[in-house]
Amino acid sequence: MSSTRRHRHRVVASLAGLLVVAGCGSAPGTSPPSGVDQLVIPTPSPDPGDFVPGVDNPWFPLVPGGSWTRELTGTGAVPQRPGGGSRESVPAPAEVLVEVLRETRVVAGVETTPVRTTLLDRRGEALETRVELYAQDREGNVWAFGEPGAWQAGTLGAEAGLAMPATPRVGDGFVRARVPGTGEYRVRVQFSPTAVSVPAGHYTDLVQTLETGPDGEGEWEVDYARGVGEVLRAEVGGDGRQELVARRR
């Protein structure tokens, strides 16, 4: 990005601790970061000219009107999110409905795509609804710009973080969000699973990330399928689990 590459040598120092070699024998060898080291992450001053309308990253596709339904099982808490507080456990079974809204919202001068996530109880009644904002740069990287009511990039010191690189590779590590008073939410690309089966189908073209909350609080392994997005989320050290059961394009 033109506003950040001028500061290539200023890559967030915390990334160094995240660039590790995956230990799974079936995983490909560690590759150099896929351009992540050319960006300031999180970025304090995104340049609107670096972004394009819509999000078509194959690992994080956001088609307006599209949706994903995931079944939530286990006694673990719903994953903590940037700007959010502690989360209470949700009785299983429950569902998470993720919808890409057709509208757009401008944050820090950048046109973003809103994604609404609704937590449903076993009767289909909404327990919680939130909206998260994403934008894609010209290189295909997807950035997280905030959550209205909780935090937004460029407001009160909050900064846009990276949600998904254009070409995620084992060893990539990055900050997904930096929220004053809350901390940093971090992501590391762990490895590429051979296959994952969930109610929505069997997927073989995958990448897995490890999401970690501030101070290491709450860890989730997340599997993304090419052309689909998130298909499986599993709590590390617990039994919380989200499996894709349906997708609408």
Side-chain angles (χ1 to χ4, degrees), residues 79-196:
Q80 197 176 36
R81 68 187 192 275
S86 60
R87 310 298 301 279
E88 297 182 357
S89 296
V90 178
E95 288 186 338
V96 176
L97 174 62
V98 182
E99 304 168 283
V100 183
L101 304 185
R102 297 183 184 278
E103 64 193 64
T104 61
R105 301 187 188 183
V106 176
V107 178
V110 176
E111 182 178 285
T112 68
T113 298
V115 177
R116 180 173 61 205
T117 299
T118 305
L119 182 63
L120 305 169
D121 65 15
R122 67 188 66 189
R123 295 168 297 183
E125 297 182 358
L127 298 173
E128 177 184 296
T129 299
R130 67 178 186 271
V131 174
E132 295 170 296
L133 306 173
Y134 298 97
Q136 182 173 299
D137 66 28
R138 294 183 181 278
E139 303 300 322
N141 304 295
V142 182
W143 296 76
F145 270 76
E147 179 183 339
W151 73 281
Q152 285 192 179
T155 302
L156 301 177
E159 299 178 18
L162 193 63
M164 179 62 70
T167 308
R169 297 176 181 172
V170 173
D172 283 351
F174 45 90
V175 176
R176 192 177 189 280
R178 176 178 290 163
V179 184
T182 300
E184 291 184 346
Y185 290 75
R186 302 180 180 180
V187 179
R188 170 165 53 84
V189 180
Q190 295 200 123
F191 74 109
S192 300
T194 302
V196 167

Side-chain angles (χ1 to χ4, degrees), residues 5 17 39 43-44 61 73 83 101 133 147 162 210 221-222 225 245:
R5 285 178 181 156
L39 305 172
T43 178
T73 60
L101 304 185
L133 306 173
E147 179 183 339
L162 193 63
L210 177 68
E221 293 181 337
V222 187
V245 296

